[in-house]
Amino acid sequence: MKLALFAFLILASFNCTAKTIEQVRSAFIFQMSKFIEFSKPIGDGVSFCFFDKDNGPAQLLSNHSNLISQGKPIIVHLLEKISATAELNQQCNIIYLDELSYSKVDADWLTKIDSNIVIIGEDIRFIEQGGLAALIKEGNKIKLYINKEKLNNSDLKIGSRLLALAKFYPE
């Protein structure tokens, strides 16, 4: 029942039926932002940071400027320098790394990002190397995985509705 309600909320927020993996991931990222209590102030809005501005979730969320999360608008930052971790730590509440962007970072990159920023990837390797969450394609579905250790070592609070949908790594 909870899963059906959450899926309805995701699709309703975009006023369309999600058809592509990018649309589903975009909806998931947006809905996740509603169920996370960030440790640093949101300011003018919830800041989403992306590195691929022409494809995927960044493109889709950029086209929906009227989206509201936690009573404030979402702000989409399209960044070019993955290595600018100081900038990321200042600007972002959520960082999304697709597989191509993640392949461009070194092994220490995740440790340089503030532990209270939600970093979302696309595969289990991302979780194993210290990412907080991953939206992993399994068959024709997207599954949310959360790094339990990373979550426990941050000041982030994730709502029970979101946690009920997640698989934890390691289990």
Side-chain angles (χ1 to χ4, degrees):
M1 180 64 175
K2 288 180 187 176
L3 182 59
L5 176 63
F6 190 71
F8 174 75
L9 290 173
I10 288 172
L11 298 177
S13 69
F14 280 97
N15 297 321
C16 68
T17 303
K19 296 179 183 177
T20 67
I21 196 79
E22 290 85 10
Q23 288 173 320
V24 173
R25 281 189 171 127
S26 298
F28 241 111
I29 295 165
F30 170 64
Q31 289 297 331
M32 285 174 67
S33 73
K34 294 179 177 184
F35 293 93
I36 298 170
E37 185 179 317
F38 299 98
S39 58
K40 68 179 185 177
I42 295 174
D44 294 334
V46 179
S47 295
F48 294 74
C49 294
F50 299 96
F51 299 100
D52 185 354
K53 56 187 162 210
D54 298 322
N55 300 298
Q59 179 191 33
L60 293 166
L61 288 169
S62 295
N63 293 334
H64 289 85
S65 59
N66 60 337
L67 294 176
I68 303 293
S69 179
Q70 301 188 25
K72 296 191 178 194
I74 67 162
I75 301 167
V76 176
H77 297 284
L78 303 172
L79 306 170
E80 294 186 20
K81 293 182 183 178
I82 291 176
S83 60
T85 54
E87 178 184 5
L88 296 172
N89 286 331
Q90 286 184 325
Q91 285 187 324
C92 308
N93 296 110
I94 296 174
I95 299 172
Y96 181 79
L97 289 172
D98 60 23
E99 288 183 38
L100 180 61
S101 298
Y102 186 61
S103 70
K104 295 178 184 177
V105 300
D106 61 33
D108 294 337
W109 187 86
L110 285 171
T111 63
K112 296 175 187 172
I113 302 296
D114 186 321
S115 65
N116 296 306
I117 294 174
V118 177
I119 309 171
I120 304 169
E122 294 183 346
D123 62 28
I124 204 69
R125 180 178 55 105
F126 180 78
I127 294 281
E128 291 170 343
Q129 295 177 349
L132 178 68
L135 297 173
I136 300 174
K137 183 178 179 189
E138 293 181 357
N140 62 351
K141 296 180 181 182
I142 294 290
K143 300 283 183 173
L144 170 63
Y145 283 79
I146 293 179
N147 182 330
K148 198 173 195 177
E149 182 181 327
K150 182 83 171 181
L151 179 60
N152 290 338
N153 291 329
S154 75
D155 292 329
L156 296 166
K157 294 181 181 153
I158 297 180
S160 59
R161 287 182 178 172
L162 185 57
L163 292 174
L165 296 173
K167 292 184 177 183
F168 289 95
Y169 186 89
E171 287 189 44

